[in-house]
């Protein structure tokens, strides 16, 4: 372990942060004193460097190269700064990139944003820092609105409290066309990572003491105005309908509360009740075990408040407000809608209003390959084009002629001209507008879901996941499944097996297995991109005979239960 102690001491000597220096010194001392747990922790912190990829950086906060800390962030900022310098030179553009920087309220976020601004300024770039903690969609909007060559958002989205992250967008002169202002994809990630790896020491990275610009509220205000406008222009009739909708909102201790409230109010939704216990940003997320609306119990306070005040709609955003969860009353009980259900509802809403889009040429609805196939039916019925993409909004947002995109993990892009990413703020406004229209007709979201079933059949999706403490088991399991896929699932023979590593339906290769059964069920199994998990995405489809939606749902549910049992055993 001598080499480990030496590596730790070298990191301590180069660490610009006094707090993490002390933290690592104490860990080394405990390890040297024979503390086994301290030794294992130290080894984990130095088993590699936190990998910079298409999700940027994301990991637990702490000292060492395999954690999120100021040293790792400065290296990432310096690598990005060098990439921007090189990219502009290669394009023959004037030097000096414009970089927009935002941050959430997680531990360390503000300091990481300041460090990024300091590095960018010293590298000769123009750093524009958002004025306060704001949602990720505001930074994504600012990257395009300010014609920035890059955007950096310091956030770990819906990860646990101990995590933080670093998300990168490219645009301006560096990336043009459909990908302008979207998150990075290959080969940009590898090019930035290569420059990060070339940095020998943090001490060698120049940092300015001042010189960056702290923006005013103009950008955030402009974003709010644009997000509120997705509901469409106000009329006497819809103004009354919108004012009549009672909404319960929770930002889950994140930074979205103020922005979502402002956008809803600007659109005419003035009867908004925010969950008081979760209204203010708090990096410790004290009322939830895991700050993700999809997790069990996360929106319990919202549902209780909705019951108390007689709400028409519950909106729950994740901590950086790029995701949007929706809850409504189904069969007399408050329930959160699956992301695929919300995606289909919003897709139908936008497709049915296609004449208002004023977009020349094709109009495309897109979703990730693991999301429901219902969106393709919606596009077909309305004369639009449908596209599947790889998982992640870095791919969805790049789809040419996009008018709506979503992924089942509560991510929706309802205004691609506004934000080239998932946006939980504008999605909340559009959903509220639909609820207002339905309520004015004496109907509810449950009725809208039934309408979809009658038009397209019942599409039921579910997810099965297996978490691993030993991450080496994940590629081993994938290799085993690819080598010997099951012959049947859910009582039906597997009709087709597709190794997605070889490409699938025109998509670039990705690590996954696609299975389709003779009954029409579909399963996609893939490793998670952000967690030590294997995820399986299941879908069954049941036609609706006449008006009997209930019978179709019962048939779909029974088929799904059988499918889930087999897939659970498969990935265990």
């Amino acid at each position: 372990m001598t080499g480990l102690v030496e590596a730790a001491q070298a990191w301590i000597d180069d660490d610009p942060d006094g707090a993490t220096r002390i933290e690592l010194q104490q860990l080394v001392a405990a390890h040297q004193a024979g503390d086994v747990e301290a030794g294992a922790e130290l080894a984990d912190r130095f088993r590699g460097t936190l990998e910079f990829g298409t999700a940027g950086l994301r990991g637990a906060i702490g000292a060492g190269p395999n954690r999120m800390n100021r040293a790792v962030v400065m290296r990432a900022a310096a690598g990005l700064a060098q990439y921007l310098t090189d990219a502009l030179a290669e394009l023959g553009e004037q030097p000096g990139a414009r970089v927009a920087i935002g941050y959430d309220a997680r531990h360390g976020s503000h300091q990481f944003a300041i460090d990024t601004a300091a590095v960018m300024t010293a590298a000769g770039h123009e750093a524009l820092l958002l004025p306060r903690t704001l949602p990720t969609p505001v930074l994504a909007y600012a990257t395009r609105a300010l014609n920035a060559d890059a955007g950096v958002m310091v956030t770990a989205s819906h990860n646990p409290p101990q995590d933080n992250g670093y998300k990168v967008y490219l645009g301006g002169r560096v990336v043009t066309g459909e990908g302008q202002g979207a998150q990075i994809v290959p080969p940009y990630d590898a090019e930035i990572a290569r420059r990060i790896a070339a940095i020998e020491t943090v001490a060698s990275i120049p940092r300015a003491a001042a010189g960056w610009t702290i923006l005013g509220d103009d950008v955030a205000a402009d974003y709010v105005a644009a997000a509120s406008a997705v509901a469409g222009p106000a009329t006497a009739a819809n103004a009354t309908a919108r004012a009549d909708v009672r909404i319960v909102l929770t930002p889950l201790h994140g930074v979205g509360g103020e922005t979502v409230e402002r956008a809803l109010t600007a659109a005419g939704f003035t009867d908004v009740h925010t969950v008081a216990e979760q209204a203010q940003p708090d990096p410790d997320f004290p009322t939830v075990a895991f700050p993700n609306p999809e997790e069990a119990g996360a929106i319990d306070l919202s549902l209780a408040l909705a019951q108390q005040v007689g709400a028409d709609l519950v909106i729950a955003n994740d901590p950086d407000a790029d995701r949007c969860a929706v809850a409504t009353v189904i069969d007399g009980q408050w329930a959160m809608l699956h992301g695929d259900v919300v995606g289909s509802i919003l897709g139908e809403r936008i497709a049915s209003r296609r004449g208002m889009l004023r977009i020349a040429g094709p109009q495309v609805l897109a979703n990730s390959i693991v999301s429901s196939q219902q969106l393709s039916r919606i596009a077909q019925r309305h004369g639009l084009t449908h596209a599947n993409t790889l998982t992640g909004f870095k791919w969805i947002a790049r789809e040419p002629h996009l008018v709506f995109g979503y992924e089942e993990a509560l991510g929706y892009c309802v205004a691609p001209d506004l934000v080239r990413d998932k946006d939980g703020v504008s999605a909340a406004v559009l959903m509220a507008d639909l609820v207002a229209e339905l309520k004015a007709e004496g109907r509810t979201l449950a009725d809208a879901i039934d309408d979809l079933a009658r038009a397209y059949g019942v599409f039921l999706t579910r997810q099965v996941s297996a978490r691993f403490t030993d991450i080496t088991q994940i590629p081993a399991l994938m290799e085993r499944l690819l080598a010997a896929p099951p012959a049947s699932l859910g009582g039906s023979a597997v009709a087709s097996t597709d190794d997605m590593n070889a490409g699938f339906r025109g998509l670039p290769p990705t690590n996954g297995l696609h299975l389709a059964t003779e009954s029409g069920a579909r399963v996609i199994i893939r490793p998670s991109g952000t967690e030590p998990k294997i995820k399986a995405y299941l879908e069954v489809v049941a036609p609706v005979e006449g008006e009997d939606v209930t019978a179709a749902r019962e048939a779909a549910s029974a088929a799904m239960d059988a499918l889930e049992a087999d897939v659970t055993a498969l990935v265990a």
Side-chain angles (χ1 to χ4, degrees):
M1 283 289 189
T2 303
L4 180 59
V5 172
E6 290 176 348
Q9 188 58 55
W11 187 271
I12 291 167
D13 293 341
D14 191 42
D15 193 336
D17 189 328
T20 46
R21 282 200 303 272
I22 293 170
E23 175 189 327
L24 199 53
Q25 286 168 344
Q26 292 173 340
L27 194 59
V28 169
H31 162 60
Q32 291 179 316
D35 187 324
V36 175
E37 289 186 5
E41 174 69 13
L42 191 64
D44 184 63
R45 293 187 184 208
F46 282 84
R47 66 179 172 82
T49 301
L50 200 62
E51 185 177 349
F52 185 93
T54 56
L57 296 169
R58 194 174 293 186
I61 299 167
N66 195 34
R67 296 290 186 271
M68 280 293 295
N69 51 64
R70 293 183 66 194
V72 166
V73 165
M74 288 179 194
R75 287 174 176 269
L80 175 60
Q82 187 61 54
Y83 170 77
L84 293 171
T85 297
D86 296 344
L88 291 176
E90 187 175 333
L91 291 167
E93 294 282 350
Q94 290 294 316
R98 173 174 289 179
V99 183
I101 304 166
Y103 56 98
D104 67 9
R106 284 178 178 267
H107 293 295
S109 287
H110 181 253
Q111 183 61 60
F112 294 162
I114 293 293
D115 287 335
T116 299
V119 170
M120 292 297 169
T121 302
H125 301 309
E126 179 187 13
L128 305 176
L129 188 65
L130 292 182
R132 62 185 185 282
T133 57
L134 284 163
T136 292
V138 177
L139 183 278
Y141 168 80
T143 301
R144 299 189 71 204
L146 299 173
N147 197 28
D149 299 298
V152 172
M153 183 67 193
V154 182
T155 181
S157 190
H158 57 283
N159 273 39
Q162 64 268 24
D163 287 3
N164 212 327
Y166 199 82
K167 184 182 293 187
V168 176
Y169 300 79
L170 291 177
R173 297 167 292 169
V174 174
V175 173
T176 58
E178 301 293 345
Q180 189 173 52
Q183 292 182 58
I184 56 173
V185 296
Y188 305 118
D189 57 337
E191 289 296 320
I192 296 168
R194 181 167 63 83
R195 288 162 175 82
I196 294 171
I199 298 166
E200 294 186 1
T201 63
V202 177
S204 68
I205 299 171
R207 281 178 283 154
W212 54 88
T213 299
I214 299 177
L215 298 168
D217 191 54
D218 293 358
V219 171
D222 290 347
Y223 167 78
V224 165
S228 67
V230 301
T235 65
N238 67 27
T240 300
R242 291 173 187 177
D244 191 42
V245 174
R246 180 161 294 174
I247 300 170
V248 164
L249 170 69
T250 177
L252 288 183
H253 302 292
V255 298
E258 177 201 6
T259 303
V260 178
E261 286 180 6
R262 288 172 65 186
L264 287 170
T265 300
F269 299 96
T270 53
D271 193 357
V272 178
H273 300 252
T274 300
V275 176
E277 300 92 327
Q278 299 172 334
Q280 296 304 313
D282 188 329
D284 294 318
F285 306 104
T287 69
V288 291
F290 202 104
N292 181 350
E294 291 181 295
E295 294 292 325
I299 66 166
D300 283 358
L301 289 174
S302 307
L303 300 185
L305 182 58
Q307 183 75 29
Q308 176 185 334
V309 302
D312 300 299
L313 174 68
V314 168
I315 294 291
N317 295 109
D318 69 335
D320 70 327
D322 62 351
R323 288 173 168 84
C324 176
V326 174
T328 190
V329 176
I330 303 288
D331 295 330
Q333 299 292 324
W334 277 97
M336 194 177 89
L337 302 182
H338 191 280
D340 280 318
V341 174
V342 176
S344 293
I345 291 171
L346 293 175
E348 177 72 19
R349 180 71 167 170
I350 288 173
S352 65
R353 300 165 72 186
R354 65 192 186 282
M356 300 169 57
L357 298 175
R358 300 195 193 100
I359 296 176
Q363 296 174 0
V364 174
L365 306 183
N367 56 349
S368 60
I369 191 66
V370 299
S371 300
S372 175
Q373 300 166 97
Q374 187 169 27
L375 192 66
S376 65
R377 304 277 185 90
I378 292 171
Q380 182 180 20
R381 183 182 184 215
H382 290 282
L384 306 182
T385 303
H386 176 261
N388 277 131
T389 74
L390 295 180
T391 303
F393 258 87
K394 56 186 174 285
W395 300 110
I396 296 170
R398 280 180 157 74
E399 194 62 39
H401 309 292
L402 183 71
V403 295
F404 171 70
Y406 92 91
E407 61 183 4
E408 47 74 42
L410 308 182
Y412 315 101
C413 178
V414 304
D417 57 332
L418 178 66
V419 170
R420 289 284 174 92
D421 200 357
K422 54 186 174 291
D423 181 352
V425 183
S426 57
V429 172
L430 188 61
M431 181 59 73
D433 182 54
L434 173 59
V435 170
E437 184 177 298
L438 289 166
K439 186 176 183 181
E441 298 169 350
R443 307 174 76 233
T444 67
L445 271 180
D447 295 315
I449 295 169
D450 285 348
D451 291 344
L452 287 174
R454 294 186 189 99
Y456 306 105
V458 172
F459 285 72
L460 180 60
T461 58
R462 200 173 290 175
Q463 189 179 128
V464 169
S465 63
R467 183 178 287 271
F468 295 84
T469 52
D470 180 2
I471 61 172
T472 62
Q473 293 178 311
I474 294 176
L477 176 57
M478 288 302 302
E479 288 175 10
R480 186 165 69 251
L481 292 174
L482 289 164
S488 67
L489 288 169
S492 179
V494 172
S496 65
T497 301
D498 300 283
D499 181 352
M500 298 172 73
N501 291 276
F504 178 64
R505 295 181 182 172
L507 296 175
T510 186
N511 190 7
L513 172 64
H514 172 270
L515 302 165
T517 72
E518 290 181 353
S519 67
R522 183 204 69 175
V523 176
I524 293 177
I525 304 173
R526 60 181 292 272
S528 168
T530 57
E531 299 175 89
K533 285 182 176 181
I534 289 279
K535 292 185 176 182
Y537 301 83
L538 288 57
E539 182 165 35
V540 298
V541 183
V544 175
E545 301 295 337
E547 296 291 308
D548 197 351
V549 175
T550 300
R553 286 209 175 98
E554 290 174 351
S557 181
M560 178 60 80
D561 288 344
L563 183 64
E564 181 181 17
D566 283 356
V567 173
T568 299
L570 197 63
V571 301

